[in-house]
């Protein structure tokens, strides 16, 4: 029984940790896919903007979504659990997914962020995400007055 | 400490904020403009655009004020168009009734979005005051959607009171979902639609008219809904991947092929107002055998009356089966996959045979919804077996079906507290040994002279609601997995209490009914004694198990 060798890639995080992944999973990241297609693959591939903690999480997501035996609803269930992380981590993951051009991960993460902002008042959102309100009173009034219908 | 450091979003560039905001519903996206200076214009990156007049035009205002409000609605739309820098949009939704004076701006806006390769287009020009149920009312179509080249990339199209001719000229290879409401939809349009949309998965037609008979033959269709449309008399369905089918409206002949992937079917002939003595008896028979995979089934009162009778005649005349009053016919194969049965019924004695037929033939039922409607009983209808009104009491209490024992949840909608409603509930409480959840929704019907009846209905509902906290209306939780002995005893007590209350009501009946009820009650008590032994064993068994 022969099986074609699964092509593997080595990814190196910004803090020099190396991770072995299947090429078929890794090409979900278009940045990596482009490198592979242009045959610019050095071994290992250095990812200067992603540390090991985040890279490990990205790889976990990547491999789950590359599995052809899982149904869409099973993948969705995994996603729901995956995003139950502190907000700091989610934001770092967004930056990593953006850098790696990993569309599916981006969508899941950004959707989660958006859901956390929905149905809260402006003050509550500011508090939740530590957003400093740098509007002056007049400026904020003017901003609200631009779209009064959205604040009723 | 510089609090800006703690701002979670400070690490993200604006481009990523654009992406996050593009996932927000439109109104929420607009609200982000007030969060902080940086966020002032982020919302213009929103890609799911929604212009809904309800945010601008308030119903309670005078006509002049509403006209002014419409003007500010339109100027907001123009302001958005002037400032939008996005080159592609995901979805565009416009809800705007009475927009006659703003036709050219609306067309500009539609063109603007279509030029940006919008994938989902939803245009709703219908008037919320139009009567859905009056099929004779034919409103005017407001707009006709022109044929744009870039519409070819559409994946989802929803049009209400908006005509279209596009389907004649362009193939929509990516269009998967189509919803058409309040328009004329003749057979030629339907043919065009099916041939120009090879990827169609969802087709939803609401309140359309001038329709002809349907013949659906599609490998791709997953969802098909015909809601209150006028015209078709025959619908032939051959869509092997169909998983959701709804028909609501006047009665029609439905012929369907085997649909092994059918999950939910709604058959609602609630708009049928005339009696229908003739009918093809095998329609219901074929229907039930061809959709045997169905898990959620909605059956209307008309089906429980006329269709059941046609069905029984078919069984007797053609299949030579014997049908008796006491035991509804067993369907082979039974609807074994039905987990949720919704009955739109008046719980009238004329529907009795129909109700028991479905209860018997859904042996694995977990959820029963009783959607109480009124004015559904046909005066001319003669049920297959004639029962007297008061016989509802004994006959119902004597049912012993597997479905009752499996039932986990019962929902009642439109509850008033009439005798038959209480009889059914007391039966379910008494014999629903797996029952965990009971929820009762009150009727909104007013009493004579328009008085509000809510408190009366509520008092009646409290009769039926079991002593807390045995059965809770709400989602299942780990603690509620098995009814314990004490709970069962309490529930039986409640069922008895309810029955006694029903019996006490007989003093309000006319003398003849009073006598009849007395007789039925005596009969019932006698029959109950024979079941007592079996029931006791069952309770013991259940208690042993947990």
């Amino acid at each position: 029984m022969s099986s074609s060798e699964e092509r593997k890639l080595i990814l190196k995080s910004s803090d020099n940790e190396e991770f072995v992944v299947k090429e078929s999973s890794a090409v979900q990241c278009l940045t990596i896919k482009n490198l592979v297609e242009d045959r610019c693959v050095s071994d290992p591939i250095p990812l200067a903007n992603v540390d090991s903690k985040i890279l490990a999480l990205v790889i976990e997501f990547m491999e789950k979504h590359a599995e052809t035996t899982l149904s869409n609803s099973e993948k969705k269930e995994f996603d729901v659990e995956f995003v139950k992380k502190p907000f700091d981590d989610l934001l770092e993951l967004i930056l990593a997914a953006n850098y790696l051009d990993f569309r599916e991960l981006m969508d899941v993460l950004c959707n989660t962020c958006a859901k956390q902002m929905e149905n809260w008042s402006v003050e509550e959102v500011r508090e939740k995400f530590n957003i400093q309100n740098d509007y002056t009173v007049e400026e904020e009034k003017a901003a609200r007055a631009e779209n009064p219908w959205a604040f009723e | 400490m510089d609090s800006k450091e703690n701002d979670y979003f400070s690490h993200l560039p604006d481009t990523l904020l654009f992406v996050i905001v593009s996932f927000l519903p439109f109104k929420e996206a607009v609200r982000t403009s007030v969060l902080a200076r940086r966020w002032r214009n982020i919302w213009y990156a929103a890609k799911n655009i929604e212009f809904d007049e309800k945010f601008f035009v308030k119903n309670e205002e005078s006509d002049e004020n509403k006209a002014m409000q419409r003007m500010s609605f339109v100027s907001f739309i123009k302001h958005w168009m002037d400032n939008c820098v996005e080159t592609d949009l995901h979805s565009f939704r416009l809800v705007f009734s009475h927009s006659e004076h703003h036709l050219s701006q609306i067309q500009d806006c539609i063109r603007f979005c279509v030029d940006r390769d919008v994938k989902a287009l939803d245009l709703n020009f219908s008037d919320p005051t139009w009567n859905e149920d009056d099929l004779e009312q034919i409103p005017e179509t407001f707009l006709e959607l022109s044929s744009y080249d870039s519409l070819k990339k559409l994946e989802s199209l929803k049009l209400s009171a908006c005509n279209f001719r596009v389907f004649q000229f362009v193939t929509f290879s990516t269009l998967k979902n189509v919803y058409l409401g309040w328009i004329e939809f003749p057979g030629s349009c339907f043919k065009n639609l099916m041939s120009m949309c090879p990827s169609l998965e969802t087709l939803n037609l609401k309140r359309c008219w001038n329709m002809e008979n349907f013949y659906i033959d599609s490998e791709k269709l997953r969802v098909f809904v015909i809601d209150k449309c006028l015209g078709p008399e025959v619908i032939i369905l051959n869509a092997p991947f169909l998983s959701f089918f709804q028909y609501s409206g006047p009665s029609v002949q439905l012929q369907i092929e085997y649909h092994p992937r059918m999950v939910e079917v709604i058959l609602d002939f609630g708009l049928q107002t005339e009696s229908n003595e003739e009918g093809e008896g095998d329609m219901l028979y074929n229907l039930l055998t061809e959709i045997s995979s169905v898990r959620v089934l909605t059956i209307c009162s008309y089906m429980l009356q006329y269709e059941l009778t046609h069905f029984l005649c078919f069984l007797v005349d053609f299949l030579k089966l014997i049908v008796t009053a006491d035991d509804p016919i067993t369907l082979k194969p039974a609807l074994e996959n039905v987990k949720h049965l919704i009955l739109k019924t008046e719980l009238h004695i004329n529907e009795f045979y129909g109700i028991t037929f479905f209860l018997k033939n859904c042996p694995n039922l977990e959820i029963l919804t009783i959607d109480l409607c009124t004015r559904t009983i046909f005066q001319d209808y003669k049920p297959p077996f004639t029962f007297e009104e008061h016989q509802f009491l004994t006959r119902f209490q004597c049912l012993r079906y597997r479905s009752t024992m499996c039932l986990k949840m019962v929902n009642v909608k439109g509850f008033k507290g009439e005798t038959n409603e209480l009889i059914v509930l007391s039966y379910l409480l008494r014999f629903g040994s797996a029952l965990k959840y009971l929820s009762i929704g009150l009727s909104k019907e007013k009493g004579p002279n328009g008085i509000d009846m809510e408190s009366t209905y509520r008092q009646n509902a409290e009769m039926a609601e079991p002593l807390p906290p045995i059965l809770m209306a709400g989602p299942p939780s780990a603690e509620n997995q098995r009814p314990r002995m004490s709970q069962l005893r309490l529930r039986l007590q409640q069922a008895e209490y309810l029955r006694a209350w029903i019996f006490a009501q007989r003093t309000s009946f006319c003398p003849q009914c009073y006598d009849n009820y007395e007789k039925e009650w005596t009969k019932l008590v006698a029959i109950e004694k024979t079941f007592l032994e079996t029931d006791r064993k069952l309770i013991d068994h259940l208690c042993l198990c947990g």
Side-chain angles (χ1 to χ4, degrees):
Chain A
M1 184 112 36
S2 75
S3 56
S4 57
E5 268 288 309
E6 267 279 14
R7 290 256 296 271
K8 300 263 198 313
L9 293 175
I10 305 177
L11 304 177
K12 190 162 87 167
S13 68
S14 57
D15 45 350
N16 290 325
E17 211 177 301
E18 293 188 355
F19 296 83
V20 180
V21 293
K22 290 191 219 148
E23 185 182 300
S24 53
S25 315
V27 295
Q28 289 177 93
C29 301
L30 293 183
T31 314
I32 299 180
K33 182 169 191 242
N34 290 337
L35 283 174
V36 168
E37 283 176 356
D38 294 345
R39 298 177 196 282
C40 294
V41 184
S42 56
D43 223 1
I45 301 175
L47 300 172
N49 289 355
V50 189
D51 70 31
S52 52
K53 171 180 166 198
I54 297 297
L55 185 54
L57 292 173
V58 172
I59 290 173
E60 188 193 336
F61 187 95
M62 183 196 283
E63 295 192 323
K64 204 65 168 191
H65 275 252
E67 267 178 56
T68 46
T69 51
L70 286 183
S71 70
N72 276 338
S73 47
E74 281 168 323
K75 287 184 187 171
K76 280 207 171 71
E77 270 174 43
F78 167 79
D79 292 348
V80 165
E81 289 307 309
F82 185 79
V83 297
K84 287 180 182 168
K85 289 179 167 53
F87 210 71
D88 274 357
D89 287 354
L90 289 180
L91 287 173
E92 299 259 0
L93 278 165
I94 290 179
L95 284 167
N98 186 42
Y99 170 71
L100 292 169
D101 202 352
F102 188 174
R103 185 62 196 278
E104 248 186 286
L105 180 56
M106 271 295 269
D107 283 352
V108 168
L109 293 168
C110 290
N111 194 17
T112 307
C113 272
K115 286 275 178 300
Q116 303 244 10
M117 291 169 79
E118 260 182 72
N119 295 324
W120 295 87
S121 72
V122 169
E123 289 74 24
E124 283 163 337
V125 171
R126 282 191 193 126
E127 216 183 283
K128 241 185 168 195
F129 299 103
N130 285 337
I131 299 174
Q132 162 119 68
N133 181 7
D134 51 0
Y135 277 129
T136 64
V137 174
E138 296 81 30
E139 281 175 345
E140 186 176 329
K141 258 203 201 145
R144 270 181 200 262
E146 263 179 28
N147 295 303
W149 60 274
F151 298 98
E152 272 161 33
Chain B
M1 175 156 56
D2 184 1
S3 55
K4 201 163 183 234
E5 281 304 307
N6 289 337
D7 176 350
Y8 287 115
F9 292 116
S10 60
H11 299 290
L12 297 184
D14 277 1
T15 47
L16 289 185
L17 292 188
F18 291 156
V19 178
I20 294 176
V21 163
S22 73
F23 280 91
L24 283 172
F26 192 59
K27 187 174 174 184
E28 304 265 2
V30 172
R31 286 154 63 99
T32 62
S33 61
V34 161
L35 285 172
R37 278 191 187 147
R38 181 190 184 195
W39 289 84
R40 184 80 177 250
N41 294 320
I42 301 277
W43 75 271
Y44 286 106
K47 292 196 191 215
N48 293 310
I49 312 300
E50 196 176 321
F51 296 131
D52 191 336
E53 64 176 351
K54 73 170 184 273
F55 296 132
F56 284 80
V57 182
K58 306 295 170 191
N59 264 333
E60 32 320 334
E61 297 286 340
S62 67
D63 284 345
E64 299 87 54
N65 281 348
K66 282 201 268 202
M68 297 277 301
Q69 288 170 340
R70 281 184 201 113
M71 299 228 28
S72 40
F73 181 40
V74 171
S75 63
F76 169 70
I77 295 176
K78 181 152 193 319
H79 169 86
W80 172 78
M81 287 201 289
D82 291 340
N83 287 288
C84 173
V85 294
E86 292 300 312
T87 51
D88 70 288
L89 296 173
H90 291 158
S91 67
F92 175 65
R93 177 163 187 254
L94 175 65
V95 180
F96 200 2
S97 60
H98 301 289
S99 40
E100 309 78 46
H101 301 295
H102 305 284
L103 195 51
S104 67
Q105 289 100 324
I106 290 176
Q107 284 173 327
D108 284 345
C109 184
I110 297 175
R111 163 131 242 157
F112 184 90
C113 295
V114 167
D115 283 348
R116 279 152 185 76
D117 291 344
V118 71
K119 301 268 183 316
L121 189 61
D122 178 353
L123 304 173
N124 184 350
F125 302 113
S126 65
D127 185 338
T129 61
W130 287 345
N131 185 352
E132 272 180 21
D133 293 336
D134 178 5
L135 296 192
E136 303 297 319
Q137 184 189 43
I138 310 266
E140 264 196 57
T141 305
F142 174 69
L143 183 73
E144 185 161 299
L145 190 64
S146 319
S147 169
Y148 299 115
D149 224 38
S150 29
L151 273 182
K152 281 197 275 197
K153 303 218 187 85
L154 265 188
E155 286 172 14
S156 161
L157 180 63
K158 236 181 120 155
L159 300 173
S160 293
C162 178
N163 221 334
F164 64 105
R165 295 267 181 254
V166 290
F167 291 119
Q168 278 174 291
F169 308 114
V170 178
T171 307
F172 290 83
S173 46
T174 48
L175 190 55
K176 288 197 189 137
N177 306 311
V178 170
Y179 171 105
L180 300 168
W182 302 99
I183 58 162
E184 189 183 358
F185 196 58
S188 52
C189 283
F190 174 67
K191 285 197 185 66
N192 279 337
L193 177 66
M194 296 311 279
S195 60
M196 296 305 188
C197 303
S199 309
L200 197 62
E201 288 180 11
T202 309
L203 178 58
N204 202 316
L205 301 165
K206 177 170 173 158
R207 255 320 231 111
C208 299
W209 59 87
N210 221 1
M211 288 169 48
E212 288 157 29
N213 295 339
F214 272 99
Y215 179 42
I216 300 256
D217 188 5
S218 161
E219 293 286 315
K220 288 265 164 74
L221 204 61
R222 296 256 191 298
V223 172
F224 183 41
V225 173
I226 304 183
D227 190 5
K228 301 180 179 158
C229 296
L230 191 58
E233 286 170 356
V234 179
I235 297 173
I236 304 178
L237 266 186
N238 182 10
F241 286 86
L242 201 63
S243 64
F244 185 104
F245 172 56
Q246 172 177 348
Y247 179 84
S248 306
S251 76
V252 287
Q253 273 303 309
L254 290 169
Q255 291 174 34
I256 64 182
E257 303 295 313
Y258 183 47
H259 285 85
R261 288 178 183 72
M262 197 67 91
V263 171
E264 180 166 355
V265 170
I266 298 176
L267 299 168
D268 184 1
F269 296 161
L271 287 188
Q272 181 67 20
T273 45
E274 288 156 15
S275 323
N276 187 357
E277 297 290 336
E278 293 164 20
E280 310 256 339
D282 58 346
M283 178 176 98
L284 189 58
Y285 181 79
N286 281 338
L287 211 65
L288 295 177
T289 42
E290 305 290 31
I291 58 166
S292 53
S293 58
V294 77
R295 290 208 275 272
V296 181
L297 181 61
T298 302
I299 297 287
C300 63
S301 181
Y302 179 89
M303 282 255 164
L304 294 173
Q305 298 172 68
Y306 279 109
E307 284 305 328
L308 238 307
T309 305
H310 297 320
F311 173 69
L312 288 177
C313 293
F314 173 75
L315 292 179
V316 169
D317 296 340
F318 288 95
L319 299 185
K320 309 288 182 211
L321 295 177
I322 317 265
V323 210
T324 62
D326 294 320
D327 196 16
I329 198 86
T330 308
L331 195 64
K332 282 186 177 50
L335 295 164
E336 338 180 284
N337 295 305
V338 174
K339 292 269 183 291
H340 185 179
L341 178 66
I342 299 142
L343 295 174
K344 289 168 117 59
T345 169
E346 231 180 88
L347 289 183
H348 189 272
I349 193 74
N350 284 359
E351 297 165 317
F352 181 78
Y353 194 89
I355 296 171
T356 53
F357 171 81
F358 280 100
L359 280 179
K360 183 176 186 193
N361 285 291
C362 297
N364 298 316
L365 201 57
E366 289 180 12
I367 309 175
L368 175 64
T369 299
I370 300 175
D371 191 351
L372 292 162
C373 18
T374 48
R375 295 184 301 275
T376 56
I377 301 302
F378 295 87
Q379 297 305 321
D380 303 341
Y381 171 66
K382 289 189 181 38
F385 303 99
T386 319
F387 305 127
E388 300 293 329
E389 284 277 353
H390 49 272
Q391 288 182 304
F392 199 94
L393 175 67
T394 25
R395 293 202 160 259
F396 218 94
Q397 295 293 318
C398 293
L399 302 178
R400 293 291 184 274
Y401 295 145
R402 200 175 132 189
S403 48
T404 320
M405 319 253 274
C406 291
L407 264 184
K408 294 191 181 134
M409 166 156 26
V410 170
N411 303 313
V412 180
K413 295 184 190 173
F415 179 85
K416 287 195 264 193
E418 306 202 334
T419 313
N420 286 1
E421 295 168 22
L422 296 174
I423 290 173
V424 170
L425 283 180
S426 111
Y427 163 77
L428 291 168
L429 282 172
R430 177 89 169 70
F431 299 110
S433 34
L435 194 59
K436 289 195 256 296
Y437 313 100
L438 170 64
S439 84
I440 300 182
L442 303 178
S443 166
K444 292 199 171 40
E445 211 176 285
K446 304 274 184 217
N449 301 324
I451 47 170
D452 184 48
M453 298 291 287
E454 198 193 311
S455 45
T456 315
Y457 298 154
R458 189 174 293 281
Q459 267 180 341
N460 293 340
E462 271 150 27
M463 290 286 140
E465 236 153 32
L467 309 167
I470 307 162
L471 294 182
M472 276 130 307
S477 64
E479 302 93 61
N480 306 335
Q481 287 316 304
R482 276 193 173 283
R484 288 187 301 277
M485 175 63 158
S486 54
Q487 289 181 344
L488 272 172
R489 253 201 227 113
L490 280 170
R491 202 201 295 156
L492 290 175
Q493 251 178 32
Q494 181 64 35
E496 280 309 306
Y497 174 68
L498 185 59
R499 271 248 305 268
W501 191 81
I502 296 169
F503 187 58
Q505 299 313 296
R506 75 200 188 286
T507 52
S508 62
F509 301 156
C510 68
Q512 183 56 43
C513 292
Y514 182 101
D515 279 343
N516 288 333
Y517 257 85
E518 289 264 358
K519 289 200 193 99
E520 286 305 311
W521 190 264
T522 321
K523 248 195 257 172
L524 182 63
V525 169
I527 296 173
E528 290 265 287
K529 281 212 171 72
T530 65
F531 282 119
L532 208 58
E533 202 35 51
T534 338
D535 290 346
R536 193 167 285 143
K537 283 200 185 117
L538 176 65
I539 292 171
D540 287 341
H541 171 77
L542 280 172
C543 294
L544 278 174
C545 296

